[in-house]
Amino acid sequence: GENVEQHPSTLSVQEGDSAVIKCTYSDSASNYFPWYKQELGKGPQLIIDIRSNVGEKKDQRIAVTLNKTAKHFSLHITETQPEDSAVYFCAATPGGYQKVTFGIGTKLQVIP
Amino acid sequence: DAGITQSPRHKVTETGTPVTLRCHQTENHRYMYWYRQDPGHGLRLIHYSYGVKDTDKGEVSDGYSVSRSKTEDFLLTLESATSSQTSVYFCAISALPTSGSYEQYFGPGTRLTVT
């Protein structure tokens, strides 16, 4: 089955700096890569996703890049703000029944 | 927010007792999932459903069973709870993919403690 590795497990940045979270996957059949944000006491919520036919996708301060050859993808958050503090999960899926494999999560702390 | 509720939100139970968690959706989505979240493990899929009475195992299904008799309800049962099943349980739903998105919508979670 799919294996998704995510790092770092914790990340502290100063407000206004950029944050990068990296993930690798093992199954070459995976073609959809979502990123979820989980705030304290809540369920995860999708913030951005990318399909394998796209190398990069941006949404305001958030961007995701995908390297299919190397089987890795990354989340970039620019101009971080205190409200970006949360746990972020990467995931991968080959679609079909949409069985998604998640990484272990990255706890991001933005220091004001 | 997607219309997903989980009940109960918190439960403490003793080892060896049966426990049933309920997920209810008002979105009429086809797919429903049960995950458990543990430190150092992220979210792990327990079971999922791709339609009424259609279910399949995820990566950590041992000790759990599920049932889906109606589109809107997906039940997770721990037949005989063990301390290793202490966790936060999340239900999620998703529709048939549109525009290439397989977004899953998560419920608020159930914190289960087995003593």
Side-chain angles (χ1 to χ4, degrees):
Chain A
E2 175 66 273
N3 180 48
V4 176
E5 295 188 355
Q6 180 174 350
H7 59 95
S9 57
T10 60
L11 178 61
S12 291
V13 299
Q14 292 289 332
E15 183 178 357
D17 288 349
S18 295
V20 180
I21 302 170
K22 299 182 179 182
C23 291
T24 61
Y25 63 99
S26 61
D27 188 351
S28 56
S30 287
N31 59 17
Y32 175 69
F33 306 91
W35 287 87
Y36 286 81
K37 176 183 180 182
Q38 184 180 27
E39 298 178 342
L40 193 63
K42 297 184 178 180
Q45 186 170 11
L46 182 75
I47 55 170
I48 194 168
D49 54 13
I50 190 169
R51 292 188 60 82
S52 60
N53 59 349
V54 175
E56 183 176 4
K57 183 177 179 181
K58 288 183 179 180
D59 183 2
Q60 298 182 14
R61 297 185 295 108
I62 295 173
V64 58
T65 59
L66 172 65
N67 183 325
K68 284 178 58 180
T69 302
K71 294 194 182 73
H72 64 70
F73 55 113
S74 300
L75 177 72
H76 304 253
I77 305 174
T78 59
E79 301 174 16
T80 54
Q81 302 169 3
E83 52 264 39
D84 294 329
S85 296
V87 178
Y88 292 82
F89 292 97
C90 63
T93 176
Y97 291 130
Q98 305 173 55
K99 288 175 68 174
V100 180
T101 302
F102 287 84
I104 63 169
T106 296
K107 185 176 182 180
L108 173 65
Q109 181 185 20
V110 179
I111 303 168
Chain B
D1 291 343
I4 311 169
T5 57
Q6 293 184 231
S7 58
R9 293 292 314 279
H10 302 271
K11 186 169 182 65
V12 179
T13 191
E14 293 184 349
T15 298
T17 61
V19 177
T20 295
L21 308 183
R22 180 181 183 235
C23 177
H24 178 77
Q25 61 149 328
T26 57
E27 305 295 323
N28 200 36
H29 282 358
R30 176 177 177 178
Y31 300 95
M32 299 186 75
Y33 312 81
W34 277 107
Y35 292 92
R36 60 178 290 175
Q37 183 174 22
D38 305 287
H41 291 278
L43 291 155
R44 292 181 292 175
L45 182 65
I46 305 172
H47 282 279
Y48 65 100
S49 170
Y50 45 96
V52 174
K53 300 189 191 301
D54 290 324
T55 65
D56 205 349
K57 296 178 180 180
E59 62 179 305
V60 290
S61 59
D62 288 349
Y64 302 94
S65 62
V66 290
S67 65
R68 190 173 180 195
S69 59
K70 299 184 291 184
T71 298
E72 57 266 35
D73 290 324
F74 193 31
L75 303 180
L76 176 70
T77 296
L78 290 65
E79 301 292 345
S80 178
T82 68
S83 59
S84 64
Q85 293 175 312
T86 292
S87 186
V88 180
Y89 291 85
F90 286 99
C91 173
I93 64 174
S94 64
L96 289 170
T98 58
S99 303
S101 175
Y102 297 90
E103 180 172 4
Q104 294 191 5
Y105 302 90
F106 285 80
T110 293
R111 182 173 294 277
L112 176 68
T113 302
V114 183
T115 61

